Amino acid sequence: MSDTSPGPDEVRHVARLARVAISEEEAEQFAGQFADILGYFETLDEVPEVERDADLVNVMREDEIRDGLEQEAALSNAPESEEGYFKGPNVS
């Protein structure tokens, strides 16, 4: 972990930037949590990069032509329909 851990002052600064009110106890608690989070990021920096060519393969299925719903079947569960179309509420 780095030599400088965030302290309550940094936590209060971030809280002010985010316009969040926190107590002194919360600032102390969050300072420890910030230090833990920064430690996790430093751990991730130690993970070696893997060099690998991307073997991209199309995993999508082939398109199939299938019959769609008949108009009556499509409208059968609609709360309202009018002249063969779905009818929705007026928005103006």
Side-chain angles (χ1 to χ4, degrees):
M1 199 151 106
S2 69
D3 298 347
T4 59
S5 296
D9 291 336
E10 287 87 359
V11 172
R12 283 190 290 276
H13 176 71
V14 171
R16 275 192 302 276
L17 292 174
R19 297 180 183 177
V20 175
I22 61 171
S23 67
E24 289 301 315
E25 295 82 28
E26 289 172 321
E28 292 287 337
Q29 178 185 4
F30 292 147
Q33 292 175 355
F34 280 6
D36 291 342
I37 291 168
L38 292 175
Y40 299 143
F41 278 104
E42 287 179 3
T43 302
L44 287 175
D45 288 339
E46 297 170 8
V47 175
E49 289 186 28
V50 177
E51 291 187 30
R52 169 179 174 288
D53 292 336
D55 298 328
L56 299 177
V57 178
N58 187 0
V59 295
M60 306 297 280
R61 65 171 170 76
E62 293 293 323
D63 289 337
E64 298 174 4
I65 297 175
R66 296 188 287 179
D67 293 333
L69 290 176
E70 297 292 327
Q71 189 171 14
E72 283 184 26
L75 294 172
S76 65
N77 288 324
E80 287 188 66
S81 63
E82 185 176 296
E83 298 179 14
Y85 297 99
F86 292 101
K87 185 176 180 182
N90 292 335
V91 292
S92 57

